[in-house]
Amino acid sequence: SSRLGKGKDHSWEEIEEMLIQSDMGIQTVDILIEKLKKRKGANIQEILKEEILALFPPLNREPIISPSPPTVILMVGVNGVGKTTTIGKLASSFIKEGKKVLLSASDTYRAAAIEQLGLIARTVGADMVKHQYGADPTAVTFDALQSALARKYDFLIIDTAGRMHSDKNLMEELKKIKRVLSTKFNYSPLLPPQEVIMVLDAHVGQNSFQQAHVFHKALNVTGIVLTKLDGTAKGGIILQIERELEIPVKWVGVGEKWDDLVKFSPRDYVESIFL
Amino acid sequence: NLRTRLSKIFKKLKGEAFLSEKNIEEALKEVRIALLEADVNYRVVREFLTLTREKALGKRVLNSVSPAQQFIKIVHEELVKILGEQATGLLTAPVPPSIYMLVGIQGSGKTTTCAKLGLILKNKGRKVLLAATDTQRPAAREQLKMLGEKIGVPTFTEGRTPLEIALSALKTSRKLGCNVVLLDTQGRLQVEEELMKELEVMRDRIKPTEILLVADAMTGQEAVNIASTFNERLSLDGIILTKVDSDARGGAALSMRMVTGCPIKFIGTGEKIQDMEAFYPDRIASRILG
Ligand SMILES: Nc1nc2c(ncn2[C@@H]2O[C@H](COP(=O)(O)OP(=O)(O)OP(=O)(O)O)[C@@H](O)[C@H]2O)c(=O)[nH]1
Ligand SMILES: Nc1nc2c(ncn2[C@@H]2O[C@H](COP(=O)(O)OP(=O)(O)OP(=O)(O)O)[C@@H](O)[C@H]2O)c(=O)[nH]1
Ligand SMILES: [Mg+2]
Ligand SMILES: [Mg+2]
């Protein structure tokens, strides 16, 4: 919780401590402290909120929908950040709007990844395409794409195995998965995947920037989901990610239930840092 | 990097007999930046700098190395000292089975680590039983069961509640003649009160030989709150750091070690079941410093 209060006298160190502990990183914190020093006012907390809010670039945070279905969403990220769970949440929200959703079990590697996605699909009302463990994830993805087209799904969401951005072979595999999604569409203006969504865990520190940077170079990430914000971590590194990589945070995960996904708003986020 | 930045600070030190206080303060500023970039917690950094300052003050300048190298060596040694000078293994219970309970926040690597430890102990000649007590996550028990099959170790999954599964697993371990039981638990945030209580109850009823916090090496500033809360509530016996194969600097290791005093016992270095090693502070210390 923030110890900054209205009218309270705060040292620069206290303010710096609070900002660093939100995982913003020294670079962003230094920028903020410099801006604060130029401002006058008794209510440090309000001034700080304004300055943090002002750091957010004006990015388009709307989901990208294909003019002709399916809208294809590729979910990527390192191990354990919440990709599969977030797919369930997205699918659930689309289905509540009356849309038809197909999931592709393209994580053919991790133990019980296919069973996990299968249970999620059944729970939220989505269909799923799967092969066997050890199958080529590109083949599963292509199979799912065929199904999505033939059976006119509104959304196709691709689950992928977690992987370290420092693993060149696994990043190449992901590029292949992305490429196969556009093979049937060389006439369309908006090639699938319309969204490459990177999932980041709010508890991860500065490494999230490196993750976003490498995944973005490889795949051209169109949006970020910041998960586990129901914990005490603030995920402040997203400021540097948005400013330097221009990737918008589109949603935040705030729990493990299927409706625990909220549209990202910089204003709400800034308020939450001070809770 | 830190070494070049320190070289700039200390190159004016030619002909001096001692590392000057002024040079040390400038050098500590650079160390501070390096540690914060490495995800070491803000307050832990402050404490570490105080300890390092004491070590560096009054040190004679050596002729054998540059002052920058000497200073880095002081910092590195202090890091290694705090991280724990040697790997400590797992305690064996006086009366079998030895029960090791794995806890931690969502996605940290508990289920995978459970199997990895199972393999290590099996290779040491122990008779291992894995117990899958996560009844919440879809296919969690299936996940541990698949891993258990891979390493040829039985996995117990029967029961309606985590406690029921754990107690039944203990009964079964005696029937099977197992001398090790590894308990996988559901991931939980340290602020999920009901779930933390559930772990306390499990600890009281099961009386594990060791409770191990499984924590992600990429964790940022909150590593301190996660580790200290789990430690206060459960009294941890050790920490296992996962995903050390990432290119994260791993400052969370220093933070968690410093606030809990718990030994880091193992590190996870990949997704394969073989990817687990004993923790040696030297390599992690170098990584944290960058
Ligand atoms: N508290 C909380 N837990 C979450 C959130 N999102 C995901 N989780 C949990 O994080 C854990 C990992 O989620 P997964 O969806 O399996 O993560 P993943 O990225 O698919 O993992 P891998 O496929 O193994 O790389 C699960 O226990 C989820 O319930 C969130 O927003 N809040
Ligand atoms: N690269 C790498 N991946 C790891 C390591 N340890 C675990 N993982 C991966 O991290 C992801 C999460 O691992 P799990 O074992 O499911 O984590 P968990 O703590 O049991 O997750 P919950 O039960 O949802 O809390 C999986 O994709 C694992 O393969 C490691 O040391 N290195
Ligand atoms: Mg997954
Ligand atoms: Mg698990």
Side-chain angles (χ1 to χ4, degrees), chain A residues 135-230:
Chain A
D136 183 350
T138 306
V140 187
T141 306
F142 187 71
D143 190 6
L145 180 65
Q146 308 255 53
S147 287
L149 288 167
R151 296 192 273 153
K152 306 205 190 306
Y153 282 89
D154 298 301
F155 289 94
L156 168 62
I157 314 178
I158 319 283
D159 190 16
T160 62
R163 67 203 64 220
M164 288 305 168
H165 48 288
S166 43
D167 190 320
K168 291 210 155 54
N169 292 334
L170 290 183
M171 291 308 291
E172 278 308 312
E173 175 184 90
L174 208 43
K175 282 171 159 174
K176 269 185 68 194
I177 293 172
K178 182 186 177 192
R179 269 200 301 275
V180 86
L181 286 169
S182 55
T183 45
K184 290 184 93 61
F185 289 84
N186 36 26
Y187 53 86
S188 158
L190 242 190
L191 284 180
Q194 287 82 7
E195 290 265 26
V196 175
I197 299 292
M198 176 148 198
V199 181
L200 298 174
D201 182 339
H203 293 86
V204 171
Q206 300 304 293
N207 196 254
S208 271
F209 181 82
Q210 196 55 19
Q211 292 174 22
H213 177 67
V214 174
F215 272 78
H216 189 48
K217 270 189 84 186
L219 306 167
N220 201 350
V221 175
T222 60
I224 286 168
V225 177
L226 183 65
T227 62
K228 308 180 197 171
L229 267 187
D230 44 317

Side-chain angles (χ1 to χ4, degrees), chain B residues 137-206:
Chain B
R137 172 173 155 150
R141 286 186 265 184
E142 187 66 8
Q143 183 185 1
L144 190 64
K145 193 150 173 285
M146 284 183 173
L147 294 173
E149 283 166 357
K150 246 186 159 171
I151 59 175
V153 160
T155 306
F156 191 85
T157 60
E158 294 313 306
R160 289 163 313 151
T161 68
L163 183 60
E164 222 178 82
I165 298 170
L167 290 168
S168 306
L170 280 194
K171 279 211 193 83
T172 301
S173 75
R174 285 173 190 118
K175 282 208 207 98
L176 295 177
C178 293
N179 49 27
V180 169
V181 176
L182 282 157
L183 287 170
D184 183 24
T185 67
Q186 173 187 342
R188 66 206 68 212
L189 301 169
Q190 80 279 12
V191 291
E192 290 184 275
E193 189 48 40
E194 285 311 310
L195 291 178
M196 292 304 287
K197 276 211 193 82
E198 176 187 87
L199 280 184
E200 288 174 329
V201 170
M202 192 175 283
R203 175 203 53 195
D204 295 340
R205 297 287 306 276
I206 299 289

Side-chain angles (χ1 to χ4, degrees), chain A residues 18-198:
Chain A
M18 179 233 164
L19 295 174
I20 290 281
Q21 297 201 126
S22 70
D23 281 317
M24 283 184 189
I26 308 176
Q27 184 176 305
T28 304
V29 173
D30 283 349
I31 293 172
L32 273 172
I33 299 278
E34 280 315 300
K35 286 186 184 288
L36 283 180
K37 284 183 172 165
K38 296 205 178 91
R39 296 206 39 183
K40 301 237 178 300
N43 194 341
I44 284 284
Q45 184 154 292
E46 281 315 305
I47 292 174
L48 190 47
K49 281 184 190 176
E50 285 174 17
E51 290 299 341
I52 297 174
L53 192 57
L55 284 186
F56 277 98
L59 302 172
N60 182 358
R61 302 178 188 284
E62 288 308 306
I64 302 169
I65 305 294
S66 173
S68 57
T71 292
V72 183
I73 302 173
L74 179 63
M75 298 292 282
V76 301
V78 307
N79 306 75
V81 293
K83 299 176 291 301
T84 307
T85 306
T86 301
I87 289 175
K89 295 175 182 178
L90 283 171
S92 175
S93 72
F94 297 147
I95 286 163
K96 287 202 174 106
E97 295 171 359
K99 307 293 184 198
K100 261 181 77 179
V101 179
L102 182 66
L103 307 181
S104 178
S106 301
D107 178 354
T108 59
Y109 173 76
R110 204 211 69 211
I114 299 174
E115 283 79 358
Q116 182 188 10
L117 193 67
L119 284 167
I120 291 172
R122 262 194 284 145
T123 307
V124 304
D127 295 324
M128 186 175 86
V129 167
K130 63 175 180 178
H131 290 190
Q132 71 286 3
Y133 285 101
D136 183 350
T138 306
V140 187
T141 306
F142 187 71
D143 190 6
L145 180 65
Q146 308 255 53
S147 287
L149 288 167
R151 296 192 273 153
K152 306 205 190 306
Y153 282 89
D154 298 301
F155 289 94
L156 168 62
I157 314 178
I158 319 283
D159 190 16
T160 62
R163 67 203 64 220
M164 288 305 168
H165 48 288
S166 43
D167 190 320
K168 291 210 155 54
N169 292 334
L170 290 183
M171 291 308 291
E172 278 308 312
E173 175 184 90
L174 208 43
K175 282 171 159 174
K176 269 185 68 194
I177 293 172
K178 182 186 177 192
R179 269 200 301 275
V180 86
L181 286 169
S182 55
T183 45
K184 290 184 93 61
F185 289 84
N186 36 26
Y187 53 86
S188 158
L190 242 190
L191 284 180
Q194 287 82 7
E195 290 265 26
V196 175
I197 299 292
M198 176 148 198

Side-chain angles (χ1 to χ4, degrees), chain B residues 228-284:
Chain B
S228 56
T229 304
F230 270 90
N231 190 39
E232 281 158 20
R233 303 291 296 258
L234 301 171
S235 186
L236 301 170
D237 297 284
I239 295 169
I240 298 179
L241 207 63
T242 62
K243 307 181 203 173
V244 170
D245 50 306
S246 72
D247 58 5
R249 296 264 290 274
L254 179 64
S255 299
M256 294 190 295
R257 166 70 176 165
M258 220 152 164
V259 298
T260 63
C262 288
I264 300 172
K265 300 208 169 193
F266 296 94
I267 54 170
T269 57
E271 285 197 80
K272 303 199 292 300
I273 303 188
Q274 298 83 354
D275 294 337
M276 179 139 279
E277 308 168 11
F279 171 76
Y280 285 101
D282 201 75
R283 276 174 49 211
I284 298 287

